[in-house]
Amino acid sequence: MSVAAQGVGAEKARFDPARALKEAGLAAFVAFMLFLPMMGFRLVGAEGRLGLEYRPQWVVIGVVTVFFGHLLVSFLRAMRGAPVRPAGRVGPVARYVNTHAKWFALAGIALAFALPFTPFANRYVVDVATTVLIYVMLGWGLNIVVGLAGLLDLGYVAFYAVGAYSYALFAQWFGLGFWEALPIAGVLAATFGILLGFPVLRLRGDYLAIVTLGFGEIIRIILLNWYPVTRGPDGLSGIPRPTFFGLVFTRRPAEGEVAFHQFFEISYSGLHRVIFLYYLILLLALLTNWFVLRIRRLPVGRAWEALREDEIASKALGINPTNTKLTAFALGAMFGGFAGSFFATRQGFISPESFTFIESATILAIVVLGGMGSQIGVVLAAAVIVILPELGREFEQFRMLLFGAAMVGIMVWRPRGLLASREPTIRLHARSAGERSP
Amino acid sequence: MLELRQVHTHYGRIEALKGITLDVRKGEIVTIIGANGAGKTTLLMTICGNPRASAGRILFEGEDITRLPTYEIVRRGISQAPEGRRIFPRMTVLENLQMGAVPNGERYFAEDVEKVFSLFPRLEERMHQRGGTLSGGEQQMLCIGRALMARPKMLLLDEPSLGLAPMLVQQIFRSIVEINRTQGLTILLVEQNAYQALRIAHRGYVLATGSVVMEGEGRELLASPEIRAAYLEGGH
């Protein structure tokens, strides 16, 4: 048995003890450098002073674990052959989800609509679900730019900020309500999208990423320093809440206003507004999704994908790259702006703190983790990214460590994202050969 | 139909084309042969405006297209099947063809797809397969088919025989002749495979280090001793 297993293993990749030892030694060295400051010392407060506690045994345990763990991994890898899936191949789960995409989507939407009325729904659950949906919407919006048009955008949060601040400012200065401000926020964000688009038309890949990163920072710094308008780091507060066809969600509505609970003659509950916000973002997100699915089948959507695949070939086929890229930036930004307005009305308070680079990185991570261009993948990834740190709350300071490890794990095992495959936008039935399965 | 007058092209400070003058008449197959680095691909790309010619004029049906952006040139009726095929690997065969139809939109799509499928039946068998999974020959067929979807008046082919087995090269060249005869499509063909190209071409130009060094009828060039020595020795 073991002889046979070794024979098979030897065919794929020989286990080379010397090399494995060397690599394990290197890994142990890296672990040592990391663990020495992180695990070797500990700050303790004793008698009102801070002191250092030395814990060499922790470092030894960590380094030894890494060394033998690495040896074991290389041994197992040699036994089984290379675990890497050939590029372009889609895993069985992804294939199953994709062939039944419609059912998964319908089930997901039904579940999302039913969520606030399920027995385990409380304020916390609905709040987390709302956050997930904000990220789903942002992910779908960024998917237009990154997933479809293939333009790496590290400053997407700028449009989120533009949307949030335009609603907050229009509400403050002109007394506009959420529904009136929403289209304006979208248009403003799209305008900023085009503004960003023009200088970066000629850039691709890394260079594009750097410029978009800079753009995101510029917007944040303007928000931070333009005190008379944005009130800088103090932020804008008292942003009006959205209304349900004119009904407000307060216990005692002001003169001339009718509250939701009065109109429907139910007793007041703070949960009403939370649930209403949840449905609001659910509808906005579904609108985004519907729009993206439709536009992929239109000439401009196909042009985005062609441009992502091969810019020179696209030009040679009569695609105008300037207009195509600008529409991608503008439409992606517009949905970012919508999501921003929603964020502002949900929080009631915004400040530049909420629009830092880490937000851009998170949204991009959602798109990449989900599998570039995959709509369902974005939902899964947003759920993972928002819920995982929530689940990890018990682990306190190790929470973000676990989160990081999980992200690394996903990218190692699923390098092309959770659901990496794209659905063709056009199908014809074969004329003679009969039905053929996809 | 297409006239190039003293066309120069630069890549930075390197002059890749040093004053090319050539003509392609309606309904012809014209081939451009030459060694690696002679400027053949640059010539085709310059006609498409990417890169632009730094001096000289390019006229298509009497109109000066030298300064037009690439997508406008394509809309005038010049379609290119570029070097290395450059099909869209993640899109299906059908979607690739759809991208070719960009200048016309949906108007003739169904009709034109039929035409491409009857020219290359293999593509019909694979229409829902992703472009990247096709074999080299099939990708070349797709590349030519995609260029035809634009309903061009003139087709530019850049090394369609590149990396294909001899059998497939034969087949591709037969298809090229068929497109030219049945549809009367004007073709400008760039090739390293001088023998095959000259056999099907009405006329040919020989390019060396950015200049035209010889021109003539296909058969004439095929018989010329200089051509034989420079490009045809060592078998076909």
Side-chain angles (χ1 to χ4, degrees):
Chain A
M1 173 71 190
S2 70
V3 176
Q6 257 174 358
V8 172
E11 267 180 22
K12 287 173 181 166
R14 285 268 295 281
F15 180 66
D16 179 354
R19 199 177 138 202
L21 276 175
K22 211 169 101 188
E23 285 178 356
L26 191 70
F29 175 71
V30 173
F32 175 73
M33 298 303 285
L34 278 175
F35 292 165
L36 192 65
M38 282 166 61
M39 295 168 85
F41 307 106
R42 190 175 179 206
L43 275 180
V44 281
E47 296 153 14
R49 294 190 311 131
L50 279 178
L52 269 184
E53 181 197 347
Y54 301 97
R55 304 188 299 182
Q57 70 276 20
W58 281 87
V59 180
V60 173
I61 292 171
V63 171
V64 169
T65 314
V66 167
F67 181 78
F68 284 104
H70 197 284
L71 266 187
L72 188 72
V73 167
S74 28
F75 183 71
L76 289 176
R77 201 174 276 178
M79 288 292 99
R80 283 191 320 181
V84 179
R85 202 195 301 277
R89 203 64 80 67
V90 179
V93 180
R95 196 177 314 131
Y96 185 79
V97 173
N98 278 310
T99 45
H100 300 82
K102 212 171 204 168
W103 297 111
F104 273 93
L106 284 177
I109 292 170
L111 201 72
F113 270 104
L115 179 82
F117 300 105
T118 49
F120 55 85
N122 51 35
R123 187 177 173 135
Y124 173 71
V125 168
V126 178
D127 257 339
V128 171
T130 307
T131 310
V132 170
L133 283 173
I134 292 180
Y135 280 104
V136 167
M137 181 164 175
L138 288 169
W140 278 338
L142 185 62
N143 217 354
I144 296 177
V145 185
V146 178
L148 293 181
L151 304 161
L152 187 52
D153 186 350
L154 286 182
Y156 192 64
V157 77
F159 310 122
Y160 189 41
V162 167
Y165 271 86
S166 26
Y167 170 49
L169 291 173
F170 274 103
Q172 202 172 50
W173 295 91
F174 304 108
L176 289 192
F178 177 73
W179 296 106
E180 293 128 22
L182 192 65
I184 301 175
V187 168
L188 269 173
T191 312
F192 274 83
I194 292 173
L195 254 140
L196 166 67
F198 265 113
V200 301
L201 278 175
R202 290 162 170 281
L203 305 177
R204 277 191 87 77
D206 326 3
Y207 307 102
L208 176 64
I210 292 167
V211 177
T212 52
L213 175 69
F215 184 79
E217 284 301 286
I218 288 172
I219 297 287
R220 190 176 64 84
I221 288 166
I222 289 176
L223 293 178
L224 208 52
N225 290 295
W226 196 11
Y227 196 86
V229 176
T230 65
R231 292 175 39 80
D234 301 347
L236 296 167
S237 54
I239 299 166
R241 305 295 189 168
T243 55
F244 179 76
F245 296 104
L247 303 174
V248 297
F249 288 90
T250 43
R251 186 186 291 274
R252 291 185 194 80
E255 206 49 47
E257 281 180 340
V258 183
F260 182 79
H261 66 281
Q262 292 172 329
F263 187 82
F264 288 97
E265 292 172 342
I266 45 180
S267 59
Y268 176 79
S269 158
L271 202 57
H272 290 158
R273 197 189 74 224
V274 178
I275 292 176
F276 170 66
L277 284 172
Y278 171 79
Y279 278 123
L280 182 56
I281 186 68
L282 182 60
L283 286 177
L284 283 174
L286 287 177
L287 178 80
T288 314
N289 184 38
W290 175 81
F291 181 87
V292 173
L293 289 181
R294 285 303 301 259
I295 205 161
R296 263 196 69 202
R297 291 160 191 276
L298 298 178
V300 59
R302 293 199 302 257
W304 289 338
E305 287 200 82
L307 214 58
R308 173 194 69 200
E309 303 272 296
D310 193 325
E311 186 163 347
I312 292 180
S314 309
K315 274 200 267 182
L317 293 173
I319 290 170
N320 179 342
T322 310
N323 293 352
T324 309
K325 283 185 187 177
L326 287 181
T327 45
F329 274 120
L331 289 172
M334 184 179 83
F335 288 110
F338 288 157
S341 288
F342 175 81
F343 177 77
T345 192
R346 179 200 186 200
Q347 301 297 102
F349 166 77
I350 50 170
S351 78
E353 288 278 285
S354 310
F355 307 105
T356 51
F357 170 66
I358 193 73
E359 286 297 310
S360 288
T362 308
I363 304 162
L364 186 68
I366 287 172
V367 173
V368 175
L369 266 165
M372 300 264 239
S374 166
Q375 295 290 96
I376 296 186
V378 164
V379 180
L380 282 181
V384 166
I385 286 209
V386 176
I387 295 174
L388 211 59
E390 291 293 327
L391 291 180
R393 279 201 189 279
E394 292 163 38
F395 298 97
E396 294 171 11
Q397 73 262 47
F398 295 110
R399 188 160 76 108
M400 291 325 271
L401 198 67
L402 285 180
F403 179 60
M407 296 261 284
V408 170
I410 291 174
M411 279 347 269
V412 167
W413 286 304
R414 305 206 59 87
R416 282 152 43 81
L418 292 170
L419 288 176
S421 89
R422 68 178 283 284
E423 188 61 17
T425 57
I426 175 174
R427 288 194 166 273
L428 282 186
H429 292 292
R431 280 174 307 180
S432 47
E435 277 292 329
R436 123 187 41 218
S437 59
Chain B
M1 187 172 213
L2 181 76
E3 302 162 48
L4 272 70
R5 294 288 169 261
Q6 287 298 320
V7 170
H8 293 256
T9 302
H10 287 80
Y11 289 117
R13 293 174 58 188
I14 299 162
E15 190 174 31
L17 298 181
K18 300 166 181 165
I20 303 278
T21 296
L22 65 77
D23 290 282
V24 181
R25 291 190 281 270
K26 205 174 166 63
E28 270 188 325
I29 300 181
V30 172
T31 186
I32 297 167
I33 59 173
N36 276 330
K40 306 186 299 290
T41 297
T42 306
L43 179 58
L44 282 201
M45 295 306 282
T46 304
I47 293 172
C48 287
N50 182 34
R52 298 250 173 90
S54 39
R57 281 170 19 110
I58 303 170
L59 302 168
F60 182 65
E61 294 187 311
E63 183 193 2
D64 191 337
I65 60 166
T66 325
R67 302 270 151 233
L68 290 181
T70 303
Y71 57 89
E72 282 296 338
I73 294 173
V74 176
R75 279 154 207 258
R76 298 285 190 280
I78 299 182
S79 236
Q80 178 167 184
E83 184 183 27
R85 296 156 202 146
R86 289 187 176 272
I87 57 155
F88 301 117
R90 289 179 68 193
M91 297 188 174
T92 64
V93 167
L94 213 50
E95 286 175 307
N96 267 279
L97 293 177
Q98 205 176 15
M99 290 319 303
V102 163
N104 302 319
E106 308 277 310
R107 246 174 306 156
Y108 312 110
F109 182 69
E111 188 187 328
D112 289 356
V113 164
E114 292 288 313
K115 261 194 223 164
V116 170
F117 283 166
S118 61
L119 188 65
F120 300 116
R122 282 289 273 284
L123 293 182
E124 183 170 11
E125 291 167 31
R126 320 241 152 183
M127 65 177 159
H128 294 311
Q129 217 169 304
R130 292 195 299 162
T133 65
L134 300 182
S135 74
E138 289 160 352
Q139 291 192 6
Q140 188 59 56
M141 294 174 194
L142 179 56
C143 175
I144 297 176
R146 188 180 62 179
L148 289 173
M149 292 298 292
R151 299 202 150 199
K153 295 172 187 158
M154 182 169 178
L155 182 62
L156 311 183
L157 294 171
D158 197 346
E159 299 227 21
S161 74
L162 192 74
L164 299 187
M167 280 281 286
L168 273 170
V169 175
Q170 293 276 353
Q171 200 188 330
I172 295 283
F173 275 85
R174 267 203 301 276
S175 309
I176 294 172
V177 173
E178 192 186 328
I179 298 164
N180 174 256
R181 296 243 171 89
T182 59
Q183 304 181 20
L185 189 61
T186 313
I187 292 171
L188 181 57
L189 169 69
V190 155
E191 257 304 332
Q192 288 239 33
N193 191 334
Y195 175 74
Q196 292 282 359
L198 289 172
R199 254 179 25 150
I200 65 163
H202 299 106
R203 291 186 307 114
Y205 291 83
V206 181
L207 219 60
T209 58
S211 308
V212 174
V213 291
M214 241 176 137
E215 58 176 287
E217 288 191 9
R219 232 163 296 149
E220 202 177 284
L221 288 174
L222 204 54
S224 107
E226 290 106 309
I227 298 285
R228 294 201 81 92
Y231 302 105
L232 299 174
E233 287 303 294
H236 336 117

